[in-house]
Amino acid sequence: MKKIKWGIRAELVLLAAVICVWVIRTMGDGRQAGKETVREEAAETGEAVEVSADGSYIKWVDFNITCEAMSKAYELDVDSYQDEIHTDWIELLAYVGAKHGGKFDKKSVSEIQETAEKLRSGETTMEKLTKKMEYYDYYKEAYGAVLSGMVGEFSLEVPKGDGGEKEWKNFYGLKAFSPIAKGFDYSHYDDFGSSRSYGYSRPHLGHDMMGQIGTPIIAIESGYVEALGWNQYGGWRIGIRSFDGKRYYYYAHLRQNFPYNKALEVGSVVTAGDVIGYMGHTGYSTTENVNNIEIVHLHWGLELIFDESQKESNNEIWIDCYELTKFLYQNRSETVKDEETKEWHRVYQMKDPAVENAGEFDRKVPET
């Protein structure tokens, strides 16, 4: 009996050792596969996480930040710009995004406010707050890819007195614009992801803004004209690339016969707020200059590019721009029509440091 008991004990010890080895290996594998598991879960829930197989660059972004959250973070950024502790709006948004898996709701605004107050009082730092946040760096890079070109220093013409004269003043704040010129009405709703059937069945990867034919279309951010011409899906369209190469703005269904600012060509540099084209309803045809879209509207989309291989591929990253469009409404470019040329032009010019430094980015933006 004693031999049997000792034999059972030995087997139990051996089994325990095997289990320990298995647990250790499983934990090791878990560390390696943990992110992949989260990615798979996120694919089902719709939350934004990094899905890069090799971790070298981001391959998916869900941009779910509300207009209210962006507005509050932006306000806190501008208010603290000259202070000893500057609360960066992208960092505030990334912190809340990482904390809640990319979800923003009514409580997000107060949470952003409370976080900024803790930072500005010196109670804590963003480094301390995010030290144990596995995905903070992801959200900071992802949200930065969307928003980093929209806030900064710039110079703008402003009215001087009542005589119609202008003067230049320096500002820090929102230097990106609504895609629809000031004074022109439009309607819109969140139609991102709705189905499209022309050519083939596909989701709608942009944002539609319904208005009148000829409404001046505005450059949201400064950058290079990377595409200009006819596309059977977008009709007359313009593609503008940000100077850092991370954003590609797509403006489609422009006006028949007179779609663009005549001065534009591929390679042209545009400043945020410039008139680049005119609203129409061209597209859905292999024949150029055809109005096959039923409703007059601007389709604008924003593609994020973390690696050049993503630009035109099966792995393009287009984000929902509805809330972003609402946020940009606060900055609309005022325009005036030249009756001789029939072109519209901005009333107040802007000097954007990004344009002045454009030469630094020449090699980053490919010609098409």
Side-chain angles (χ1 to χ4, degrees):
M1 287 293 292
K2 288 182 178 180
K3 290 182 179 181
I4 293 174
K5 289 180 180 180
W6 279 108
I8 293 173
R9 288 176 181 173
E11 290 180 0
L12 289 173
V13 170
L14 180 61
L15 179 61
V18 171
I19 290 173
C20 286
V21 171
W22 177 82
V23 169
I24 292 171
R25 287 181 177 176
T26 301
M27 289 176 67
D29 292 340
R31 293 190 186 97
Q32 185 174 357
K35 288 186 178 180
E36 198 62 42
T37 302
V38 174
R39 292 168 190 151
E40 291 172 1
E41 291 175 355
E44 297 180 7
T45 62
E47 295 178 5
V49 294
E50 179 184 351
V51 294
S52 171
D54 56 9
S56 60
Y57 58 88
I58 292 174
K59 295 184 179 176
W60 183 254
V61 173
D62 278 337
F63 188 75
N64 298 317
I65 307 177
T66 62
C67 171
E68 293 76 13
M70 280 185 275
S71 296
K72 174 53 68 174
Y74 166 67
E75 173 193 322
L76 293 164
D77 184 308
V78 174
D79 287 347
S80 65
Y81 181 61
Q82 298 293 342
D83 295 348
E84 183 178 350
I85 298 176
H86 174 217
T87 53
D88 183 279
W89 74 311
I90 295 174
E91 291 183 355
L92 288 172
L93 294 169
Y95 170 71
V96 174
K99 192 174 180 180
H100 301 288
K103 296 179 180 178
F104 287 78
D105 55 25
K106 293 180 179 179
K107 296 180 180 179
S108 300
V109 173
S110 59
E111 187 168 10
I112 289 169
Q113 176 75 52
E114 292 166 4
T115 303
E117 289 174 356
K118 291 178 181 178
L119 294 171
R120 295 179 70 173
S121 69
E123 178 182 336
T124 187
T125 64
M126 189 59 73
E127 184 179 3
K128 290 178 181 178
L129 285 175
T130 60
K131 186 175 182 180
K132 295 183 180 180
M133 283 187 169
E134 184 177 4
Y135 291 108
Y136 170 74
D137 288 341
Y138 161 77
Y139 283 101
K140 184 179 178 181
E141 183 177 357
Y143 293 167
V146 180
L147 303 171
S148 61
M150 297 191 177
V151 172
E153 296 179 340
F154 61 94
S155 299
L156 186 68
E157 283 184 326
V158 297
K160 182 181 179 181
D162 299 326
E165 296 182 357
K166 304 173 186 176
E167 62 180 338
W168 286 95
K169 286 194 174 181
N170 298 326
F171 296 91
Y172 174 85
L174 186 61
K175 59 176 185 174
F177 289 79
S178 166
I180 302 295
K182 184 177 181 179
F184 290 84
D185 293 333
Y186 65 87
S187 62
H188 68 142
Y189 61 93
D190 193 353
D191 55 349
F192 187 80
S194 59
S195 62
R196 293 291 185 270
S197 59
Y198 174 77
Y200 61 97
S201 180
R202 63 197 186 282
H204 183 231
L205 299 178
H207 183 64
D208 289 345
M209 304 175 73
M210 281 64 73
Q212 297 181 341
I213 289 179
T215 295
I217 303 304
I218 303 300
I220 295 169
E221 182 184 347
S222 302
Y224 286 98
V225 175
E226 189 172 274
L228 189 76
W230 183 264
N231 176 289
Q232 66 169 310
Y233 301 101
W236 293 121
R237 91 294 189 226
I238 302 174
I240 295 178
R241 189 77 168 267
S242 64
F243 292 122
D244 64 4
K246 292 182 179 180
R247 290 168 297 287
Y248 178 73
Y249 294 90
Y250 181 72
Y251 308 83
H253 309 311
L254 302 180
R255 184 173 57 184
Q256 187 182 49
N257 299 322
F258 195 165
Y260 317 120
N261 180 317
K262 294 177 182 178
L264 292 184
E265 58 185 24
V266 173
S268 295
V269 171
V270 298
T271 299
D274 286 352
V275 176
I276 56 173
Y278 305 97
M279 186 182 293
H281 54 122
T282 58
Y284 284 13
S285 174
T286 55
T287 302
E288 289 189 2
N289 206 32
V290 173
N291 285 328
N292 268 357
I293 304 294
E294 293 182 5
I295 300 174
V296 176
H297 71 281
L298 168 71
H299 165 109
W300 85 273
L302 179 53
E303 180 185 3
L304 304 183
I305 303 162
F306 297 93
D307 184 86
E308 205 57 38
S309 65
Q310 297 173 307
K311 177 61 173 63
E312 294 181 9
S313 69
N314 293 324
N315 300 307
E316 296 174 359
I317 304 174
W318 296 89
I319 65 166
D320 189 337
C321 296
Y322 177 63
E323 295 292 331
L324 186 57
T325 300
K326 289 164 60 179
F327 172 72
L328 292 171
Y329 181 84
Q330 63 185 290
N331 200 23
R332 302 184 71 185
S333 183
E334 187 173 347
T335 58
V336 62
K337 187 176 183 179
D338 184 327
E339 293 298 337
E340 183 176 343
T341 65
K342 306 303 180 184
E343 290 271 19
W344 288 80
H345 303 280
R346 67 189 303 162
V347 174
Y348 300 107
Q349 300 299 316
M350 184 175 83
K351 294 178 182 178
D352 184 354
V355 173
E356 296 174 3
N357 299 326
E360 298 178 12
F361 304 100
D362 284 349
R363 292 182 294 277
K364 294 184 180 180
V365 182
E367 295 183 1
T368 57

